[in-house]
Every structure is written in C-alpha cells, then in structure tokens.
C-alpha cells in the first residue's frame, strides 16, 4: 500500500471517528439539556399512596403518589422499586430529585425516561471508541508493529494447533450468531413468560373481589399501536392492607364493568400487586392475542423455537451421517 493510500485511509478513519464522536457529544448535550441533571437537587416528598400498575402481558410495576400542598394525592405517578413498595407506607418520606420548586422525580423515573438517550449514547460512544482504536492502528508505525506482533501470534498458534476446516468454522459461527439472537429474544420475552406462567399457575394465588373506583381508555386506530383500557381497583389483601392497582383489561372486560362494580380478581399470594382478572373468556383471550404487543412476543418465541429445532435437527443429521460413514 502506497503512502498516499495509507494517508487516505488514515484520514477516512479519523473523519468517521470525529463523526461518531460528534453524534455522541450531541446526544449527550441534548440529554443534559432535556433533563438538566447538573442543576438537580435532592428533594424529599411525603407518600400519599402506593399504586401498582399491571399490564396484560408483563409483571407489575410500582409507583407512589405524593401529597400535594393541599393534602390531596398527586395525579402523577412516580416510579419506585418493588422493595420500596413493600417498605413504604402512607406518610413516609421518599427521596428523589427536583429541577425546580415544584418538580419532582425519583431516580427510577430519571432512569426509565432517559433510557433511549442512555442507549443511544452507549452505542454511539462504543462506535466512536472502536473507530478511534482503528484510527490509531492505521498509523503506519503502529500498524507495522501490530502486524509483526500478529504474525508472531499466528505462527505460535499454528505450531500448537492444526488448521481447522473453513466450512466448519463458518457453520459454528452461524450457530453462534443464532444462539446470541435466541438469548437476546429470551431476555426480552422473559417478563412475558413469567407473567404467563403466573397467570396459568393454578396454585399460589388468592381469589377476591376488587372495587373499581376509576376507569381510563385511550382508543387509537394507528398502525402498530395498541389501545389502552384500564381499571383502577382497590381491595384488601390477606394481611388487611388496602392495595391499589391500575389494571389493563381487554375490550370485552372493559365493556362489562363500570365504576363501583366489583371485579373478580386473583393475585399472587406473595405479591398482591400482581393482579389477574378471573373468568377470562375465549373472547378476552382472542382480543389479547390480536394486540401488537402479543404479536411481538409471539414472533420472538416463534423465532427461538425454530432456531432451537433447526439446531437439534442439524445435530441429529450430523450424527446420522457420521454413523453412515463409520459403517462403511
């Protein structure tokens, strides 16, 4: 490679590094401007109530309402952990952060609301770092030293290990990528599978009736967006504690009940915020299956099932062919 080509390659890598670096800096600057973390100060508020939120397909999330100056609970929910939900009671102080005299956010609020920014900053920052390393290795002197070192490692490795078949390497690499995809999809679907297991599990749940004291619906006809139908319910658990949960329901269930009605539910005996509506009908199941969220989870599980089947089928065929060769 001529010096001019080497110079062009070095300039190109440097330009890409600067590009990703500027994107990382821009996204970081936008994030700090949006959330203004530099000016946040610790702030505590009084807990008015603990409120769980329970979707159709995932385990519960936990929130608090705080007392407003007039003594009433806030309309806004503030995210907390499961441990905090178990430990906090009405009148306790909850620690958080504020950007002004009236604003308040918990650390979990900040983390969840800024997840997109943090993921983008992480990805772009990683790409910028990789490009920076590649740029440094493109410097002629460093590149020559690295090539000599790599050649020595190659010779040493060649003496210890025989050369493997290229097709086998490609085959193993392909299954490795497929395995990584399976693990990633299983991680994304794990909360769905956990909720499904708890839903169909016939034991470990307590049956009761909850009073509906508020309803909410958001009906959308946009593609790739599900409508929302919620009941805010309250009931007493086994220990006599009043539990408040905002529960997602199907269109059929939402039409059958109204404010003041008693909703038949069951909940996990170890976690009263993990609420399920009893008496699920075929129509309820059908409506849940037609949601986009269910389609996403179903697609991921279908891909996982196919990859696992293909892997074991390939292994069985490989063993069968090997036996045929050995028999000859």
């Amino acid at each position: 490679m001529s010096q001019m080509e080497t110079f062009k390659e070095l300039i190109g890598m440097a330009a890409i590094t600067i590009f990703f670096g500027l994107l990382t800096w821009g996204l970081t600057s936008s994030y700090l401007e949006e959330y203004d973390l530099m000016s946040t100060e610790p702030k505590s508020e009084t807990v008015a109530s603990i409120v769980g939120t329970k979707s159709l397909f995932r385990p519960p999330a936990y929130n608090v309402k705080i007392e407003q100056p007039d003594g009433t609970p806030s309309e806004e929910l503030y995210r907390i952990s499961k441990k905090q939900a178990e430990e906090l009671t009405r009148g306790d102080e909850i620690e958080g952060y504020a950007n002004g005299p009236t604003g308040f956010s918990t650390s979990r609020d900040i983390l969840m609301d800024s997840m997109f920014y943090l993921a983008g900053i992480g990805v772009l920052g990683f790409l910028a770092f990789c490009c920076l390393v590649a740029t440094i290795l493109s410097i002629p002197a460093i590149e020559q030293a690295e090539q000599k070192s790599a050649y020595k490692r190659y010779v040493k490795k060649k003496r210890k290990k025989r050369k493997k078949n290229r097709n086998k390497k490609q085959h193993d690499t392909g299954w490795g990528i497929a395995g990584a995809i399976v693990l990633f999809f299983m991680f994304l679907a794990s909360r769905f599978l956990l909720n499904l297991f708890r839903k169909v599990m016939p034991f470990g749940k307590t049956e009761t009736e909850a009073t509906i004291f508020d309803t909410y619906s958001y009906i959308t006809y946009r593609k790739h967006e599900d409508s929302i139908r919620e009941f805010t319910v309250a009931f007493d658990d086994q220990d006599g504690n009043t539990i408040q949960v905002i529960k997602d329901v199907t269109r059929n269930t939402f039409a059958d009940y109204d404010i003041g009605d008693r909703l038949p539910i069951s909940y996990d005996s170890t976690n009263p915020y993990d609420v399920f509506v009893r008496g699920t009908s075929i129509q309820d199941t059908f409506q849940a299956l037609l949601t986009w969220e269910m389609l996403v989870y179903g697609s991921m599980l279908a891909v996982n099932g196919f990859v696992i089947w293909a892997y074991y089928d390939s292994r069985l065929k490989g063993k069968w062919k090997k036996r045929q060769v050995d028999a000859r």
Side-chain angles (χ1 to χ4, degrees), residues 105-279:
S105 298
T106 64
S107 57
R108 191 165 290 247
D109 284 328
I110 297 174
L111 177 63
M112 297 299 293
D113 292 340
S114 61
M115 189 167 291
F116 170 78
Y117 279 104
L118 295 177
I121 292 170
V123 171
L124 292 175
F126 177 74
L127 292 175
F129 174 76
C130 291
C131 290
L132 177 62
V133 173
T135 302
I136 294 174
L137 294 177
S138 297
I139 300 174
I142 297 178
E143 184 178 13
Q144 291 176 5
E146 196 277 334
Q147 287 177 349
K148 290 180 181 180
S149 176
Y151 178 75
K152 290 179 181 179
R153 290 196 303 269
Y154 170 76
V155 172
K156 187 176 181 181
K157 185 177 181 181
K158 190 176 179 181
R159 289 174 181 173
K160 293 182 177 180
K161 203 172 184 180
R162 292 182 304 171
K163 186 178 180 180
K164 293 184 177 179
N165 184 277
R166 179 175 294 179
N167 292 331
K168 187 176 185 302
K169 279 187 176 181
Q170 292 176 347
H171 183 267
D172 292 343
T173 301
W175 282 122
I177 295 174
I181 294 174
V182 167
L183 291 176
F184 179 67
F185 280 180
M186 286 300 294
F187 171 75
L188 294 178
S190 59
R191 287 169 58 80
F192 166 77
L193 292 173
L194 177 62
N195 184 73
L196 180 63
F197 172 75
R198 290 174 176 170
K199 170 70 176 178
V200 301
M201 185 174 60
F203 52 86
K205 291 188 289 190
T206 302
E207 295 185 354
T208 187
E209 289 186 342
T211 301
I212 302 172
F213 64 89
D214 196 9
T215 63
Y216 171 79
S217 64
Y218 167 72
I219 310 302
T220 178
Y221 299 96
R222 296 179 182 176
K223 292 183 177 180
H224 311 123
E225 184 180 14
D226 291 323
S227 297
I228 299 172
R229 298 173 179 85
E230 297 174 343
F231 286 150
T232 303
V233 301
F235 60 95
D236 291 337
D237 65 4
Q238 292 174 313
D239 299 326
N241 300 314
T242 300
I243 305 299
Q244 183 177 333
V245 178
I246 301 174
K247 179 73 177 77
D248 284 359
V249 295
T250 62
R251 182 174 71 250
N252 180 59
T253 300
F254 191 80
D256 287 344
Y257 296 89
D258 205 344
I259 295 177
D261 291 343
R262 301 282 288 176
L263 181 70
I265 64 168
S266 62
Y267 62 88
D268 187 338
S269 299
T270 62
N271 183 6
Y273 293 98
D274 198 1
V275 171
F276 305 93
V277 177
R278 286 190 286 127

Side-chain angles (χ1 to χ4, degrees), residues 45-49 64-74 78 90-93:
E45 292 284 357
T46 303
V47 175
S49 62
V64 294
K65 289 185 176 182
I66 60 175
E67 285 190 5
Q68 300 182 110
D70 60 359
T72 60
S74 63
Y78 300 91
R90 182 177 180 179
D92 289 346
E93 295 292 317

